[in-house]
Amino acid sequence: MPTPSMEDYLERIYKLIDEKGYARVSDIAEGLEVHPSSVTKMIQKLDKDEYLIYEKYRGLVLTTKGKKVGKRLVDRHKLLEEFLAIIGVQEQNIYRDVEGIEHHLSWDSITCIESLVEFFRRDESRIQMLNQIHQELYSES
């Protein structure tokens, strides 16, 4: 199982490849706000752990294992963003909050959150009811 740091890299690499068709060290470094030398070290570790194949000066490709984990991480991130939006977290806080919690939740918790999000998706009036309760509680304090 990848570490939280490895997860950040795999998520970023997966997104870059999905969006651009490739992931360069400089793009990864910029997205994660780290030095290119740190990216190179992590890429070598991810290569060793068979999440990707890296050839110096030629680039990298995700292995089947890396693609599977990367997709799962991107999906987790999107799910948590949707969950926080549904429960009324202010939009400007969502990304930062997801970054703060995503590595600290078990996959069991993620599965339960996914079920709850699906419950709200199936009937928009449930979201409206939740927002109404939120407003009532918030206005009382």
Side-chain angles (χ1 to χ4, degrees):
M1 199 65 181
T3 65
S5 180
M6 291 167 76
E7 286 183 347
D8 285 339
Y9 280 85
L10 285 167
E11 182 180 356
R12 185 71 191 138
I13 292 166
Y14 183 88
K15 284 174 72 173
L16 283 167
I17 291 173
D18 189 50
E19 293 165 7
K20 299 169 87 171
Y22 60 90
R24 296 181 312 190
V25 169
S26 59
D27 295 328
I28 299 165
E30 181 182 326
L32 295 175
E33 299 178 352
V34 297
H35 293 284
S37 60
S38 299
V39 174
T40 301
K41 286 178 189 170
M42 181 57 80
I43 286 174
Q44 291 168 343
K45 169 119 179 77
L46 292 169
D47 182 37
K48 181 177 158 285
D49 291 350
E50 300 179 350
Y51 290 103
L52 55 81
I53 298 167
Y54 174 64
E55 293 182 31
K56 196 172 184 178
Y57 306 117
R58 301 197 89 208
L60 60 93
V61 292
L62 289 170
T63 61
T64 301
K65 175 182 170 181
K67 287 178 190 173
K68 182 179 175 183
V69 172
K71 181 174 181 354
R72 190 173 185 199
L73 296 170
V74 168
D75 290 347
R76 174 183 72 183
H77 192 100
K78 288 178 187 173
L79 173 70
L80 292 173
E81 284 182 342
E82 185 175 1
F83 172 67
L84 293 180
I86 286 171
I87 63 171
V89 173
Q90 294 179 8
E91 191 174 331
Q92 67 266 24
N93 296 327
I94 290 176
Y95 181 82
R96 186 187 70 236
D97 288 352
V98 169
E99 287 297 312
I101 65 172
E102 66 184 339
H103 300 297
H104 301 285
L105 294 172
S106 68
W107 286 103
D108 180 47
S109 293
I110 297 296
T111 301
C112 292
I113 289 169
E114 187 173 27
S115 297
L116 184 61
V117 166
E118 184 59 30
F119 172 79
F120 283 108
R121 275 187 197 140
R122 288 184 182 188
D123 186 346
E124 290 288 321
S125 69
R126 294 170 179 160
I127 296 173
Q128 294 166 354
M129 244 188 308
L130 181 63
N131 289 334
Q132 184 179 358
I133 291 168
H134 180 75
Q135 288 174 349
E136 289 170 7
L137 291 172
Y138 184 71
S139 65
E140 290 178 7
S141 25

